[in-house]
Amino acid sequence: MMSIRQRREIRATEVSEDFPAQEENVKLENKLPSGCTSRRLWKILSLTIGGTIALCIGLLTSVYLATLHENDLWFSNIKEVEREISFRTECGLYYSYYKQMLQAPTLVQGFHGLIYDNKTESMKTINLLQRMNIYQEVFLSILYRVLPIQKYLEPVYFYIYTLFGLQAIYVTALYITSWLLSGTWLSGLLAAFWYVTNRIDTTRVEFTIPLRENWALPFFAIQIAAITYFLRPNLQPLSERLTLLAIFISTFLFSLTWQFNQFMMLMQALVLFTLDSLDMLPAVKATWLYGIQITSLLLVCILQFFNSMILGSLLISFNLSVFVARKLQKNLKTGSFLNRLGKLLLHLFMVLCLTLFLNNIIKKILNLKSDEHIFKFLKAKFGLGATRDFDANLYLCEEAFGLLPFNTFGRLSDTLLFYAYVFVLSITVTAAFVVAFHNLSDSTSQQSVGKMEKGTVNLKPETAYNLIHTILFGFLALSTMRMKYLWTSHMCVFASFGLCSPEIWELLLKSVHLYNPKRICIMRYSVPILILLYLCYKFWPGMMDELSELREFYDPDTVELMNWINSNTPRKAVFAGSMQLLAGVKLCTGRTLTNHPHYEDSSLRERTRAVYQIYAKRAPEEVHALLRSFGTDYVILEDSICYERRHHRGCRLRDLLDIANGHNASLGTLVTATGAGQGRDDGWPRRE
């Protein structure tokens, strides 16, 4: 039934009450464009200033390290043979192939000499491009021959300036990663300052220039920066595709330039697996990154003439196992907390078993033994059984493969880096546990990854990735001192990000009931600025003193040896001796070697052990027969090995040989990693 009601009159008071609100909305709408414009201009200004500072500080770091190298060796004044000797151990071996390519009559002949090399290992023709990661030397030699710079720049300077230039890229990438995580370029500036002030523990490029890690780590830093950006939610399709391209290129270049690439990327794959399993990372993005890793390694495998060590890597087996396990367990992220936890443990067990199964099958098919020395070393290092294996004990006795020395933390604490790192790490780890527990408990939640309800703990995917990354690489550095450079550089990024991050300060202030937006703003800017002022005040005078300290390369015995070899031996003569010294012989004289420092080949390891019998308790006739089997014409005996003082009893080379040969079983229990140092012979006199 229809009813009629009286129309209500509009009161003047109601109109007057509504009108101010409408007028206020109109005024707000009129103000929005100018507000958006000012914010856009501020963003552009910030990007310009931050980007300029990033480039400048990267270049300054590069110049600083190059100056230290020049001051330490007086590189511009010493003879060519002395410059080459300064590339010690395996560094000299790698540089020799750059020199070989430049001395070849044509590029084609240079390539042929690398593919069919019979001077690196006597009585044997090997493909150097397959065995070693030397494409960077090939590329640089081609550039030097093509570019019109021969009149202005010597080949050695073109080589070392390229490496120092990569350091500029390295520092810039660390700066950008910290900036992306925190939202302010001040964080990147602090990361770069920490990298420089902790130079002893973040890089060794100034005295080991041609090392593979100095080529690879800048690309690794670029990859981490690109992944950090890629994991941001709500990326535009074009930005996402360009970021994936950057990740692929940097991953490929990293893999191409370092023989240990597969082990570093395995750690990275474990990070992705952990975050994906705990629902802290979009599964689709994790799949893209797994695929890029596999594709990059396979492409490197092709370029290295199907290097079997790559095909038999744990990384490929692990990533394939993750894909298979996903297909078999499609409902992994459903159910109650205990149900999901059980599924997660089953998933982990399945991936582990599949990885070991696939890896063993591949290695048996390929008859792969190239990396078995690494697993023997790890087994002995972590106390899973004593060993008489020469190769494993050789690694165990080297300080670079020992535990991270305690004095490292003292140096890192002097710059406040370690304190800041522990502070940020404790907060983010707590947040990660809360988020992981929430994700496992709330299986029905339809929220996007990395976002929680208001009032709960929030951890962004890119933050979670860098958190697990720094934890895993921290464990690696603690167990093996040589790998600390992967961790310490990321420490600078992670600590600086935390001090400039509004999320970190929000979590801290809320926990102590002091939360206030203004306090967050004050803390995230004042604390980094104060630390920067402290670093400038405490370390600037020391850096200036360091730059003014002049030394000179001085190794007359080795120079005399190289000159004698060049003057008194045939060009085709074969030399036997220690791996480290023979690399210099190859570079300075071009003579043929019996063995060399690139240890990632089982037949070479056997050959090296046989050559080293010159220092063991063996009959002269037996040693002579072994040396002649490799075509040896000359043997270089070193007093530093015969009367070794660097290692304690049981770790001297002659002791390791006696243990392996079974001549002195009592020494077997004495083999342990020695105290750590920087692995540097720094006994050169000052320049007057």
Side-chain angles (χ1 to χ4, degrees):
M1 180 176 178
M2 184 177 62
S3 63
I4 299 174
R5 68 178 182 177
Q6 187 176 2
R7 182 187 301 174
R8 188 166 68 100
E9 294 181 0
I10 301 176
R11 298 178 183 176
T13 54
E14 290 179 352
V15 174
S16 64
E17 286 173 1
D18 290 343
F19 182 76
Q22 294 173 5
E23 187 178 16
E24 189 177 341
N25 289 337
V26 171
K27 289 181 180 178
L28 184 61
E29 288 174 3
N30 291 334
K31 287 183 179 179
L32 278 176
S34 61
C36 290
T37 303
S38 62
R39 283 196 299 273
R40 192 179 299 113
L41 289 173
W42 174 252
K43 186 176 181 180
I44 292 172
L45 180 63
S46 178
L47 286 172
T48 303
I49 295 173
T52 303
I53 292 174
L55 293 174
C56 289
I57 202 165
L59 290 172
L60 286 173
T61 304
S62 175
V63 172
Y64 171 63
L65 293 172
T67 305
L68 289 178
H69 174 260
E70 167 64 24
N71 290 354
D72 206 24
L73 303 179
W74 205 2
F75 200 75
S76 59
N77 191 66
I78 58 180
K79 299 175 183 177
E80 185 66 22
V81 65
E82 292 175 314
R83 290 177 179 175
E84 292 178 348
I85 291 171
S86 71
F87 296 139
R88 296 176 182 273
T89 64
E90 60 186 293
C91 299
L93 183 69
Y94 297 131
Y95 183 78
S96 72
Y97 301 122
Y98 170 73
K99 180 180 176 182
Q100 181 178 325
M101 281 290 293
L102 291 178
Q103 291 177 344
T106 65
L107 286 175
V108 174
Q109 288 177 294
F111 270 111
H112 186 274
L114 295 179
I115 296 173
Y116 301 97
D117 178 271
N118 53 15
K119 296 180 74 68
T120 302
E121 295 177 16
S122 59
M123 315 224 12
K124 192 174 183 181
T125 299
I126 61 174
N127 185 344
L128 294 169
L129 294 177
Q130 181 188 48
R131 285 271 295 275
M132 303 183 192
N133 298 71
I134 57 170
Y135 269 102
Q136 49 268 50
E137 276 75 22
V138 173
F139 177 71
L140 270 195
S141 63
I142 293 172
L143 271 185
Y144 187 79
R145 296 179 69 139
V146 171
L147 296 176
I149 57 175
Q150 288 87 349
K151 293 182 180 178
Y152 314 104
L153 195 64
E154 296 178 56
V156 66
Y157 278 107
F158 183 66
Y159 187 91
I160 65 174
Y161 286 167
T162 300
L163 267 299
F164 288 126
L166 280 176
Q167 283 296 302
I169 296 174
Y170 189 19
V171 173
T172 303
L174 298 176
Y175 180 109
I176 292 172
T177 304
S178 187
W179 185 359
L180 289 171
L181 287 169
S182 65
T184 172
W185 54 261
L186 182 62
S187 171
L189 183 62
L190 180 57
F193 264 67
W194 262 331
Y195 179 85
V196 174
T197 53
N198 291 282
R199 174 182 56 82
I200 293 176
D201 296 298
T202 55
T203 182
R204 51 178 176 167
V205 65
E206 75 269 22
F207 57 89
T208 58
I209 295 175
L211 269 191
R212 303 299 85 180
E213 68 187 50
N214 296 328
W215 284 97
L217 291 185
F219 300 119
F220 192 56
I222 294 171
Q223 186 219 39
I224 293 172
I227 290 175
T228 299
Y229 184 75
F230 175 68
L231 295 181
R232 286 184 163 188
N234 305 320
L235 282 183
Q236 295 295 325
L238 179 60
S239 298
E240 193 170 82
R241 285 195 290 269
L242 290 175
T243 308
L244 281 170
L245 179 62
I247 294 172
F248 170 72
I249 293 173
S250 55
T251 304
F252 167 69
L253 291 175
F254 169 70
S255 304
L256 188 65
T257 51
W258 199 12
Q259 68 268 30
F260 294 137
N261 54 60
Q262 52 177 294
F263 303 105
M264 303 306 104
M265 288 200 293
L266 177 62
M267 303 285 284
Q268 200 172 57
L270 290 172
V271 174
L272 298 173
F273 176 75
T274 303
L275 296 176
D276 183 27
S277 300
L278 295 175
D279 208 15
M280 299 170 71
L281 189 72
V284 175
K285 292 191 175 184
T287 302
W288 271 108
L289 296 175
Y290 286 136
I292 285 175
Q293 285 187 333
I294 293 177
T295 306
S296 299
L297 269 190
L298 291 179
L299 186 56
V300 171
C301 180
I302 293 171
L303 287 175
Q304 289 191 315
F305 297 82
F306 296 94
N307 187 328
S308 60
M309 188 174 175
I310 295 177
L311 293 175
S313 67
L314 275 173
L315 175 67
I316 290 180
S317 301
F318 177 80
N319 286 2
L320 292 176
S321 300
V322 170
F323 290 145
V324 173
R326 272 185 180 178
K327 292 293 183 182
L328 296 176
Q329 276 186 299
K330 294 182 180 180
N331 60 342
L332 181 65
K333 298 178 181 180
T334 59
S336 63
F337 175 78
L338 291 177
N339 194 3
R340 286 194 65 176
L341 188 61
K343 289 179 181 179
L344 185 61
L345 293 174
L346 179 61
H347 184 66
L348 177 63
F349 180 73
M350 185 183 299
V351 170
L352 179 63
C353 291
L354 279 173
T355 300
L356 296 176
F357 175 75
L358 279 176
N359 195 250
N360 284 328
I361 291 295
I362 293 172
K363 286 184 175 180
K364 285 183 179 179
I365 292 173
L366 299 176
N367 192 26
L368 179 62
K369 297 180 180 179
S370 298
D371 58 353
E372 64 179 2
H373 64 299
I374 297 175
F375 297 105
K376 288 180 180 178
F377 159 70
L378 292 174
K379 181 180 177 182
K381 182 178 180 67
F382 294 110
L384 300 178
T387 179
R388 292 180 177 273
D389 185 77
F390 174 77
D391 303 318
N393 287 334
L394 192 64
Y395 278 111
L396 284 172
C397 286
E398 283 301 317
E399 56 195 22
F401 292 93
L403 299 176
L404 187 68
F406 190 73
N407 60 10
T408 304
F409 301 104
R411 291 192 298 270
L412 296 175
S413 299
D414 286 342
T415 62
L416 304 182
L417 173 59
F418 186 67
Y419 299 128
Y421 178 76
V422 172
F423 166 73
V424 176
L425 189 66
S426 60
I427 294 175
T428 48
V429 165
T430 303
F433 273 114
V434 173
V435 172
F437 182 78
H438 180 278
N439 290 348
L440 291 175
S441 302
D442 191 8
S443 60
T444 60
S445 175
Q446 298 299 317
Q447 301 169 41
S448 59
V449 176
K451 292 185 178 180
M452 296 291 174
E453 297 175 2
K454 189 174 181 180
T456 62
V457 176
N458 178 25
L459 194 68
K460 297 177 182 177
E462 60 267 33
T463 304
Y465 168 78
N466 280 275
L467 170 64
I468 309 299
H469 174 99
T470 196
I471 290 174
L472 290 186
F473 280 85
F475 281 124
L476 181 64
L478 291 172
S479 64
T480 308
M481 191 267 281
R482 185 179 176 180
M483 296 302 175
K484 72 175 179 179
Y485 303 101
L486 286 160
W487 183 45
T488 49
S489 59
H490 196 265
M491 281 180 71
C492 302
V493 171
F494 198 75
S496 60
F497 135 72
L499 295 182
C500 296
S501 170
E503 290 85 5
I504 298 298
W505 286 114
E506 181 180 346
L507 285 171
L508 178 65
L509 294 176
K510 280 184 176 179
S511 65
V512 294
H513 306 291
L514 292 174
Y515 172 73
N516 185 298
K518 289 185 179 179
R519 286 198 184 102
I520 290 176
C521 187
I522 292 171
M523 296 300 290
R524 72 183 293 231
Y525 289 112
S526 62
V527 172
I529 290 173
L530 289 173
I531 293 176
L532 285 169
L533 292 173
Y534 166 78
L535 293 176
C536 291
Y537 171 77
K538 183 171 183 180
F539 294 98
W540 182 261
M543 291 172 65
M544 292 301 100
D545 291 342
E546 195 175 29
L547 288 173
S548 63
E549 186 178 3
L550 302 177
R551 303 188 189 189
E552 181 180 359
F553 177 85
Y554 185 74
D555 191 355
D557 294 339
T558 307
V559 171
E560 184 181 359
L561 172 64
M562 300 305 169
N563 289 334
W564 185 89
I565 292 173
N566 277 321
S567 303
N568 297 280
T569 64
R571 292 288 301 174
K572 294 185 179 181
V574 178
F575 279 79
S578 69
M579 296 183 288
Q580 294 79 5
L581 185 58
L582 287 185
V585 172
K586 172 74 168 61
L587 172 58
C588 298
T589 70
R591 300 305 191 263
T592 304
L593 313 180
T594 55
N595 55 305
H596 54 82
H598 194 271
Y599 219 50
E600 278 67 51
D601 182 77
S602 57
S603 62
L604 174 66
R605 293 194 294 272
E606 293 174 2
R607 177 184 283 235
T608 299
R609 189 162 56 250
V611 170
Y612 277 3
Q613 298 302 315
I614 57 178
Y615 297 108
K617 296 176 181 177
R618 298 287 295 270
E621 295 80 11
E622 295 179 14
V623 175
H624 181 267
L626 284 172
L627 293 175
R628 290 305 301 163
S629 67
F630 303 128
T632 307
D633 298 311
Y634 296 88
V635 179
I636 303 175
L637 292 172
E638 300 173 56
D639 287 345
S640 59
I641 297 177
C642 293
Y643 308 108
E644 188 172 358
R645 298 284 190 275
R646 189 166 68 95
H647 293 115
H648 59 72
R649 185 171 180 267
C651 263
R652 297 169 300 186
L653 180 61
R654 59 185 187 273
D655 295 337
L656 299 182
L657 290 165
D658 291 341
I659 293 168
N661 295 338
H663 291 159
N664 198 336
S666 62
L667 288 172
T669 58
L670 297 175
V671 177
T672 91
T674 60
Q678 298 306 313
R680 181 181 182 185
D681 179 10
D682 213 5
W684 299 321
R686 298 177 186 274
R687 188 165 84 221
E688 300 297 338

